[in-house]
Amino acid sequence: MKKSYCPIDTFINTIKGKRKGTIILHLFQGDKRYGELVRLMPDISERMITKQLKELEIDGLINRTAFPEVPPRVEYSLTKLGNEIHPVLKGMFKGGVLFEKSIDTL
């Protein structure tokens, strides 16, 4: 995460990416295993999901917990910061719904 000139840009630059906001919204509902996230987002490749999860972890928005089991088990959860930005993402979701409705009426 890098600071920008404006805090809005810092926020957008941190969560922009293929489905990062969606990942955070899914994790707000509870911890998820990697396979669950893949099933919840069938329109994105596993490679891209992995990339986005790594970036979210680096930026301190999610935790990755690997369990020493066979087969390996990995769970993702939100950090405190990830939980704190949930209301903003929920507002963006509602805004997206409004924009989609206006697009449908055009």
Side-chain angles (χ1 to χ4, degrees), residues 1-86:
M1 186 179 329
K2 289 168 58 175
K3 268 189 172 182
S4 296
Y5 176 73
C6 173
I8 293 170
D9 292 335
T10 302
F11 180 81
I12 290 172
N13 289 335
T14 302
I15 64 158
K16 77 177 176 185
K18 188 97 172 157
R19 309 301 286 286
K20 283 185 181 179
T22 305
I23 291 169
I24 293 169
L25 290 174
H26 283 307
L27 292 177
F28 186 76
Q29 297 170 0
D31 299 357
K32 302 276 187 275
R33 293 179 68 174
Y34 177 78
E36 291 177 274
L37 291 169
V38 169
R39 282 190 294 282
L40 288 167
M41 297 178 288
D43 61 330
I44 178 174
S45 72
E46 288 189 40
R47 180 174 178 244
M48 186 57 70
I49 291 174
T50 300
K51 179 181 185 285
Q52 301 307 307
L53 288 168
K54 284 180 183 177
E55 289 178 10
L56 287 167
E57 183 182 12
I58 289 167
D59 288 337
L61 296 170
I62 66 170
N63 291 312
R64 179 184 185 272
T65 306
F67 296 90
E69 301 173 353
V70 177
R73 178 170 59 115
V74 176
E75 285 186 351
Y76 294 92
S77 61
L78 290 179
T79 62
K80 182 180 178 192
L81 179 60
N83 275 301
E84 288 176 358
I85 68 166
H86 178 259

